[in-house]
Amino acid sequence: MENNINYKHSSNRQILIIGGGFAGLEAAIKLRKYKHEVTLISERDYMFVYPISIWIPIGKQSFEDTKLSLSELAKIHGFNLIIDKITKIESKNNTVYSETTTYHFDYLFLAIGMGKVQMKGLNHTHSICGKPEESLIIKDLLDNLLAKGHGHITVGFGGNPKDLTATAVRGGPAFELLFNISVLLKEKKLKDNFTLTFFAPMEEPGKRMGVKAYNKMDIFFKHYKVKTHFGKKIKEFTENAIIFEDDTVLTSDLTLFISGGDGLQLIKDSDLPTNEAGFILINEMCRVEGNPHVYAIGDVAAIIDHPWAAKQGHVAEIMADVATYNFHNSVTHKEKRMSYWERLHLVCVMDSGDGAAFVVRTANKEIMIPLPIIGHWMKKGWGWYYKNSKKKRMLRLPGM
Ligand SMILES: Cc1cc2nc3c(=O)[nH]c(=O)nc-3n(C[C@H](O)[C@H](O)[C@H](O)COP(=O)(O)OP(=O)(O)OC[C@H]3O[C@@H](n4cnc5c(N)ncnc54)[C@H](O)[C@@H]3O)c2cc1C
């Protein structure tokens, strides 16, 4: 079926956003502010607020409260919404396809996130960074193990050999889940019956947060009674173990592993320019190399390689802001352009269940402030703020 999207208001410019996560939603909101007619296509009917999903497995956040209804947001901000899964992209023909429909566009904003590196036995692991529903599977498995009363829990993350930049690694949520599980075990007075081990193939996992933050990780591991296993490549995962390159074995009843970020097959199969891992090549204006009509924002893009750079929700929002500003100025013939390079920084409130570490990194500065108790409530507060500000129930704070 052909779809020349039905616009509510007259406009001859067809703007499509694909993806209803941090990047896509922010792009839709900003484009509406610039008064452009815009259609967002998402395979899910909700935006999943990943940063607060870390509490789903430990029973301190409901799945429903982690979702934002896209149809409600579409009404509030006035964008068109189509729930559909895009299966083919022909950027040079200005066309994307789903199983049933063909969509034409004049301008495209790609915001479909990233995939994960496949590894031997990955099916024996579960990731908090996978599909939203996986957080509920982890909850069930953790509940069952806790009901059994004893066992070995392992939590880790890996990288992508095809993209050695830190931006293909997602470590923060692994630390957050690990420390939250430790707090849960303590609350249930089960700490002595379980071993909790953090593993990663890198020599210095977490160093991207900065030397100061990295050096303090040992204090965290000690405080939360976590064993560590670094610096050995993972050969494979089995039902009850992780096997490393030197054939050493880490026993595991529940393996929670965040595999390295990888480009989605949909992007790899498209005519878009990508790096070796399959992330879309963009310039500092977030425009796809060689195609002035297509922008790529958020996790789907190959972001600039700084040792401290990370793909984060707030980076996805910065990229959406930059891309929509540049798009708007370009179609309204204004000269000014914005660069996401200039606004890139790492900021994270790394939750530990009973506190958090506030981490900031830029080219010139690194800050790490441990925030016992209050840090946890700051992150909870951010989740509340994010959802309510998107629903226009409160004013948005500048830069947040
Ligand atoms: C557990 C966890 C905790 C995190 N914590 C933090 C944090 O504390 N702070 C922070 O800044 N960042 C955090 N992040 C990172 C942040 O969530 C991501 O960087 C962010 O989600 C990227 O946004 P995105 O819009 O690029 O991709 P996503 O949020 O992944 O959204 C992609 C969207 O595209 C849609 N889509 C995908 N394929 C298709 C298709 N074929 N057709 C149609 N639609 C499609 C999806 O349904 C989804 O709506 C965390 C991530 C995880 C997983």
Side-chain angles (χ1 to χ4, degrees):
M1 191 172 83
E2 288 278 312
N3 192 335
N4 279 310
I5 295 145
N6 230 342
Y7 287 101
K8 282 186 252 167
H9 313 290
S10 67
S11 163
N12 52 13
R13 199 179 286 126
Q14 302 209 355
I15 308 172
L16 262 193
I17 299 172
I18 307 176
F22 276 88
L25 176 60
E26 185 66 6
I29 292 173
K30 288 282 153 70
L31 287 167
R32 288 302 299 134
K33 281 201 172 147
Y34 291 123
K35 308 255 182 279
H36 295 289
E37 193 68 43
V38 54
T39 298
L40 186 148
I41 302 179
S42 168
E43 62 178 349
R44 295 198 277 267
D45 63 1
Y46 60 89
M47 189 268 172
F48 197 61
V49 190
Y50 275 108
I52 54 173
S53 70
I54 47 159
W55 298 307
I56 294 175
I58 54 150
K60 293 184 179 165
Q61 168 84 21
S62 79
F63 189 77
E64 282 306 309
D65 275 350
T66 314
K67 297 184 341 186
L68 273 173
S69 155
L70 283 176
S71 59
E72 192 184 337
L73 293 167
K75 267 189 218 127
I76 293 170
H77 296 280
F79 58 85
N80 308 309
L81 175 68
I82 296 173
I83 305 302
D84 203 356
K85 182 176 174 146
I86 297 304
T87 50
K88 191 176 173 195
I89 300 170
E90 285 178 358
S91 70
K92 293 203 176 99
N93 286 336
N94 290 28
T95 310
V96 295
Y97 304 84
S98 74
E99 288 292 334
T100 54
T101 313
T102 301
Y103 301 95
H104 300 292
F105 63 84
D106 294 311
Y107 291 91
L108 178 67
F109 291 78
L110 279 164
I112 54 174
M114 64 180 169
K116 59 182 172 196
V117 170
Q118 292 306 309
M119 294 168 68
K120 196 168 175 198
L122 199 63
N123 55 315
H124 296 297
T125 74
H126 295 278
S127 170
I128 189 67
C129 295
K131 296 230 176 287
E133 303 77 28
E134 202 155 350
S135 58
L136 289 172
I137 296 173
I138 298 174
K139 180 177 177 349
D140 281 350
L141 293 170
L142 188 60
D143 285 350
N144 290 345
L145 193 58
L146 263 51
K148 212 172 127 195
H150 58 89
H152 304 283
I153 302 171
T154 56
V155 183
F157 60 81
N160 184 340
K162 290 186 179 165
D163 183 344
L164 297 174
T165 72
T167 64
V169 179
R170 179 151 286 153
F175 290 127
E176 292 185 299
L177 191 55
L178 178 76
F179 299 140
N180 270 275
I181 291 175
S182 172
V183 170
L184 182 70
L185 290 173
K186 193 175 163 199
E187 281 168 8
K188 293 196 175 287
K189 301 196 180 3
L190 285 171
K191 194 76 198 71
D192 293 338
N193 300 1
F194 282 86
T195 59
L196 194 52
T197 308
F198 172 70
F199 68 99
M202 314 86 183
E203 293 288 345
E204 297 176 314
K207 199 150 186 196
R208 180 182 33 153
M209 293 185 294
V211 177
K212 278 188 201 162
Y214 177 74
N215 288 344
K216 285 192 181 134
M217 286 312 291
D218 274 345
I219 302 171
F220 273 81
F221 291 137
K222 219 169 155 188
H223 177 78
Y224 292 100
K225 297 199 170 80
V226 172
K227 295 181 178 180
T228 55
H229 193 288
F230 301 158
K232 277 187 196 165
K233 285 212 175 75
I234 299 159
K235 197 161 139 188
E236 70 175 292
F237 297 98
T238 65
E239 204 180 333
N240 301 103
I242 304 152
I243 303 169
F244 295 91
E245 57 183 346
D246 59 357
D247 288 323
T248 52
V249 172
L250 190 58
T251 303
S252 179
D253 299 306
L254 177 60
T255 310
L256 304 174
F257 180 68
I258 303 174
S259 188
D262 197 27
L264 291 165
Q265 201 55 46
L266 174 64
I267 301 297
K268 292 179 185 173
D269 292 343
S270 75
D271 59 354
L272 292 155
T274 64
N275 69 4
E276 212 197 323
F279 294 119
I280 304 173
L281 295 174
I282 54 168
N283 63 17
E284 64 188 292
M285 293 190 295
C286 295
R287 230 174 53 196
V288 171
E289 297 284 4
N291 194 330
H293 295 259
V294 184
Y295 294 81
I297 50 181
D299 287 0
V300 76
I303 70 171
I304 189 168
D305 178 18
H306 291 305
W308 44 269
K311 285 184 175 170
Q312 292 194 289
H314 85 98
V315 172
E317 291 207 329
I318 288 172
M319 294 174 87
D321 190 40
V322 165
T324 52
Y325 175 90
N326 291 330
F327 159 78
H328 177 68
N329 277 8
S330 146
V331 296
T332 52
H333 309 292
K334 292 190 191 113
E335 263 176 34
K336 275 195 175 171
R337 297 289 183 271
M338 238 190 238
S339 161
Y340 84 93
W341 293 355
E342 286 160 17
R343 292 176 56 189
L344 200 61
H345 61 286
L346 182 149
V347 57
C348 118
V349 177
M350 197 177 76
D351 184 76
S352 52
D354 56 358
F358 178 64
V359 181
V360 176
R361 258 207 102 180
T362 66
N364 321 314
K365 116 179 132 188
E366 52 172 272
I367 299 170
M368 197 276 200
I369 309 171
L371 297 170
I373 304 166
I374 189 155
H376 174 68
W377 293 105
M378 271 171 67
K379 185 134 187 165
K380 286 260 178 198
W382 173 85
W384 184 87
Y385 162 79
Y386 181 84
K387 289 188 289 178
N388 283 289
S389 61
K390 288 293 181 269
K391 289 183 189 173
K392 279 195 179 166
R393 288 188 185 157
M394 61 182 296
L395 279 180
R396 277 187 78 173
L397 305 172
M400 278 186 78

